[in-house]
Amino acid sequence: MIRRSVPPRITATSAPLRRRTALPVWLSLLWRVALVMALIGIALAGHWFDRDGLRDNIDGRVSFADVLYFTMITVTTVGYGDIVPVTVHARLFDTFVVTPIRLFVWLIFLGSAYDFLFRRVWDGWRMRVIQQRLEGHVVVAGYGTSGVEAVAELIRRGAPPAMIVVVDERSAAIEAAEKLGVNVLQGDATRNATLEAVRITRAKAVIVAAGRDDTSILILLTARGLAPNVPLSVVIRSEDNEPLARQAGATTVINPASFAGVLLAGSTHGEHLADYIADLAAHGGRVALHERDVTAAEVGKALSQLTTGLGVRIHRGGRAIGFWEPAAQRLEAGDCIVEIVPSERMP
């Protein structure tokens, strides 16, 4: 059974309080149409009550149809001259009421055209261009506390923001990630369409940090089904859910509480142990862990004979081999080496 953990609380010190509008597209369009009709109604009422200030150059009589015609023509264009205001009151009304109404109506029309046509076409085109160029990128599913730190560490380690894609359902999280220059997609990462949109099959790796174990495991299942060979790293809060995460396809399972416990316990056996582990894990440390494939020149040599760094582990055929084991005395083609190197040597 999956245990649900409490999602991390995100605090904001500079962003103003705001809420995403829940107004559907059709209602937004209807509201704009109603606003335009109300503005036209104001102009129509003003012209009708002051119809004596208008002159019809065709038949000399101003009817309601003439007022309606004159109002619509005046609001949408500048008029044809067949009906004109002749009194001071009528001209002032056209100057200070109808002209601003005309500007507002055109702004509403242009804004609606941009929102419902041009912006969607433009955003769709930009998304297709970005998708076509995505190759070897890192997908971060969830931009909570762990996701924020993961993206920041990726950038500190030299990853170009253009090669990072953040997926989250919350608009506030998406806007915060977008400020870093990364690619963003607001959507549900448990759905196939969302992960397909970020080209997960061509990703270098996927980081899952949804903040809830059940959601993270669902994302893992979806991601593994779409991309069988892409490495998946996940943050799991409950130790009981770690086996489920591995069964769902996680390559790496990280439990923040367990890792913190390891550091705390290690510190009781030596004051410098925790510092060294943190030094290995963080970008700003003097040393770093580096994973790479064995080279042809290194095949046949012992792990301790590496000249690029201090070899600590070999991954061979799904098995982890420590530097002290006999199998580490001879490197083989296809081995994956984990070594400790000075930070300045990191690629």
Side-chain angles (χ1 to χ4, degrees), residues 61-72:
R61 187 176 63 88
V62 178
S63 64
F64 179 78
D66 292 329
V67 172
L68 178 60
Y69 161 78
F70 174 71
T71 300
M72 296 301 296

Side-chain angles (χ1 to χ4, degrees), residues 118-164:
F118 298 116
R119 188 177 68 178
R120 297 192 179 192
V121 172
W122 172 256
D123 290 345
W125 178 80
R126 286 185 66 248
M127 186 172 182
R128 286 193 297 270
V129 171
I130 292 173
Q131 287 175 330
Q132 290 172 359
R133 295 179 178 177
L134 283 178
E135 183 79 36
H137 54 291
V138 178
V139 177
V140 180
Y143 199 66
T145 303
S146 299
V148 168
E149 291 299 325
V151 171
E153 184 66 19
L154 284 170
I155 294 175
R156 284 194 293 265
R157 290 174 180 264
M163 298 304 294
I164 301 173

Side-chain angles (χ1 to χ4, degrees), residues 179-221:
K179 292 179 181 178
L180 299 178
V182 303
N183 303 301
V184 296
L185 177 64
Q186 185 172 355
D188 183 1
T190 65
R191 301 180 66 87
N192 286 15
T194 302
L195 296 184
E196 288 173 349
V198 298
R199 295 294 190 267
I200 189 174
T201 56
R202 299 192 296 187
K204 175 183 178 182
V206 177
I207 296 173
V208 180
R212 294 168 51 117
D213 288 359
D214 51 356
T215 305
S216 294
I217 291 174
L218 285 175
I219 295 174
L220 286 174
L221 290 169

